[in-house]
Amino acid sequence: MTRINTNTSSLNAQKTLTRNTEDLQKALTRLSTGLRINTGKDDPAGLIAAEILQNNIVAVQKAISNTQRGNQMIATADSALGSIGGLLHDVRSLVTEVANTAVMSDEQIAANQLQVDEALDAINRIAQVTKFQGRRMLDGSLDFITDANLIPQIQNLKIDRANLGATGTMPVMVEIAQAAEQAQITTSSGEQDAGTYVHLSSRAVMSFEGDAGGAVTGNIYIQATSLSERFENTKIVVNAGYDTGDLADYDGARARYDTTQNILYVDLENDISGVHVQNVMDAIDGTGLFKAYTDVADTTAATNTFESFAGTDNQVMLRPTINVWAANYGPDYNDVTIEFELDDTATEVSASYDSDAKTITVRLMADNTDNPFDGAGGLNNIGDIVDAIHGLDEFNAEITAGSLSNETEAWMFGGFAPDTRVYANTGATGYLKTAFSDATRAYANIDFAAGVTKTFTTDGADAQIYIKASGLGDRYDKVQVQFVGGGTAGQETAEWDAAAKSLVVNYDATNSTVDQILAAINATDAWEAVLASGSGTSKVDASQSSVVTSTDSLIVEAIEPGADFNNMQVVFESKMGHATPTATYDKATNTFTITVNHDMTAAGSTSLASLVGAINQVEGFAGYYNTASQGGVGRVFGGGVDALVVGNTGSSGGNALLD
């Protein structure tokens, strides 16, 4: 039986029909749209090009539309400005007409004025109602105000909106109808007189009885060598009963300052009748923080030794403060500087005011002798200073209550540097006053490498060494240095345990020399030791007590309160052969530089006391340090890590303006 499984002719016919139908549909689509490319399959590359062209066409069409809309806006503004121009012409003609007063009556002039007023009202009305798409065009709302010039990061700001021609300038005729008057800006609280407080260095008086007994026979005047307020309310305590050997530095006297308790201790040997006035003064001077004077004629005479001190334990150093203020209100006395200067020809204290330089100058009698009480004319009473300033027509002055406990403290010594470094500024207290506090002073605290002074008992004279960390940081502070005498001479060792904060020095109890112990400590690399006094070849005795290291610190402080010295950097540098330390301040970079000697020997090191003296010589600054009696070495080694310290005042003075 025959079966037909396929119909080849029918299939070919259907295939041909389908292809023709698709071609017909494509042709009809192109005819109906007028486009050659209707889908991506027609021409992918051509479609991409067509879309780009279409985007450009749409953008151009919108630009044309915007231009047409701009023309419409300009036409609207032009029409309004044309109306305003016509009204201005009318105003000009009316003003010109009334200028001929010979032929114009008062009624005509009034009528013209009324017409001018109406024209001006019409101009204002046109400016208010002229709009384009709801936006007023002529009322001034389309101007712009920029505050970019208030942003410090933007410099040389230019706004290019007005075209003034090739020259960039346009002459303007200005007629002054009335002279301008100076305006005054005051706070809401009203007027206030300009003024300031002048702070002197802290001072006190120790009264004593001589060996003749009876009444008080003399005084020792003590004054801080710095203008820092840290010495205000320093208590003075005299201790007696020490062995003579403990106080050998100043022949039976010693002075030490306790920074934690703010106490100046004056230690005397058990028999104070053998201590001279000069010995006590030398001990006080030796702290580097205080200076002593006396009204005793001969400081080393046998009759000027001591029996007792009168009420010394109750003596507290006070910082005299003079309040100076302008006699009249107003900003004329803002930013007035008050300066002190020495005059070796003066026979009395005087004051003068230079209104052009806005400076009050207080002249003190000068005396550079060791004893200003010798009649050379170097004693200046603070009360006389107040009277001199108060005697100026422009200013008043007074000593603030509680800044002096008695008249005997009120001496300013003409040969003493802090007495002439005093200065103050009235600031802007007369009228406009900031809302930020300026009551605090900017200061930087600098910590040096920790160290300790060790004194060895030897077979000869005692030997003293300085032990100093070779790195900065607290890890070297409060380290116990122990000396163990069970080693072998020539094989001395030093074991440094940073975690335990322990440095153990092993030596021969009878044969090791000081130099050998120094070499063992230096071999640790973490510690450096130098000979301060005595002989390095001397052999140390068997029993040596341990010592504990401490960190010396120095403070650089601005004398005047306020934020002017915030973020001031304090930098140390060392130079070869720089025996005397120096200090300078660069206002432009806000940097305070202290230069010390570049030397790693004890003899070439720099004492903190001399650093303070250098800082105090820089106008506007005071120095202060923790003394060696509280631990540490009390010296700076410029050839070592101490020259790397850097401090910063941060925002410690006044307030910093935040967001």
Side-chain angles (χ1 to χ4, degrees), residues 120-139:
L120 295 177
D121 290 339
I123 292 173
N124 290 333
R125 184 169 59 257
I126 293 172
Q128 292 295 325
V129 301
T130 302
K131 297 180 180 179
F132 184 80
Q133 293 185 343
R135 178 181 296 177
R136 289 187 174 90
M137 302 177 62
L138 304 177
D139 67 341

Side-chain angles (χ1 to χ4, degrees), residues 289-361:
L289 303 177
F290 304 94
K291 178 68 176 175
Y293 297 96
T294 183
D295 52 13
V296 172
D298 188 349
T299 58
T300 60
T303 56
N304 286 324
T305 55
F306 303 104
E307 283 192 350
S308 64
F309 284 89
T312 304
D313 284 351
N314 298 322
Q315 279 288 356
V316 175
M317 298 188 70
L318 298 177
R319 192 164 60 125
T321 302
I322 301 175
N323 182 17
V324 180
W325 70 97
N328 299 308
Y329 292 129
D332 292 341
Y333 303 104
N334 284 347
D335 301 315
V336 172
T337 300
I338 303 173
E339 298 179 343
F340 285 70
E341 68 177 28
L342 289 177
D343 186 350
D344 54 8
T345 64
T347 58
E348 62 181 4
V349 178
S350 63
S352 61
Y353 176 60
D354 186 339
S355 58
D356 294 331
K358 301 187 76 170
T359 302
I360 298 175
T361 302

Side-chain angles (χ1 to χ4, degrees), residues 75-134:
T76 302
D78 183 66
S79 177
L81 291 174
S83 300
I84 293 175
L87 291 171
L88 291 174
H89 287 312
D90 293 339
V91 171
R92 182 182 179 87
S93 65
L94 292 170
V95 172
T96 303
E97 184 180 32
V98 299
N100 190 356
T101 57
V103 298
M104 296 290 293
S105 65
D106 293 338
E107 290 77 11
Q108 289 175 309
I109 294 175
N112 282 2
Q113 180 64 54
L114 180 61
Q115 190 174 349
V116 169
D117 293 340
E118 291 298 328
L120 295 177
D121 290 339
I123 292 173
N124 290 333
R125 184 169 59 257
I126 293 172
Q128 292 295 325
V129 301
T130 302
K131 297 180 180 179
F132 184 80
Q133 293 185 343

Side-chain angles (χ1 to χ4, degrees), residues 270-292:
N270 188 38
D271 183 12
I272 65 173
S273 62
V275 181
H276 293 287
V277 174
Q278 188 63 50
N279 302 143
V280 176
M281 293 172 56
D282 290 343
I284 294 173
D285 293 349
T287 64
L289 303 177
F290 304 94
K291 178 68 176 175

Side-chain angles (χ1 to χ4, degrees), residues 332-471:
D332 292 341
Y333 303 104
N334 284 347
D335 301 315
V336 172
T337 300
I338 303 173
E339 298 179 343
F340 285 70
E341 68 177 28
L342 289 177
D343 186 350
D344 54 8
T345 64
T347 58
E348 62 181 4
V349 178
S350 63
S352 61
Y353 176 60
D354 186 339
S355 58
D356 294 331
K358 301 187 76 170
T359 302
I360 298 175
T361 302
V362 179
R363 294 177 178 82
L364 304 176
M365 294 181 288
D367 183 4
N368 292 317
T369 62
D370 292 334
N371 184 12
F373 291 91
D374 60 4
L379 287 178
N380 302 270
N381 191 278
I382 297 177
D384 294 339
I385 296 172
V386 171
D387 292 340
I389 299 175
H390 197 80
L392 300 173
D393 294 335
E394 299 88 352
F395 294 93
N396 299 314
E398 66 179 3
I399 300 177
T400 59
S403 64
L404 285 177
S405 62
N406 56 68
E407 190 67 19
T408 59
E409 296 177 3
W411 294 113
M412 291 185 69
F413 304 110
F416 191 48
D419 284 341
T420 55
R421 287 198 302 271
V422 176
Y423 74 98
N425 193 289
T426 59
T429 56
Y431 273 85
L432 189 61
K433 195 172 185 179
T434 63
F436 297 95
S437 170
D438 59 356
T440 56
R441 300 176 174 184
Y443 70 93
N445 187 84
I446 301 102
D447 290 332
F448 300 101
V452 68
T453 299
K454 168 61 178 174
T455 301
F456 290 110
T457 55
T458 69
D459 55 359
D462 289 349
Q464 188 181 70
I465 66 171
Y466 295 143
I467 303 174
K468 191 93 166 180
S470 57

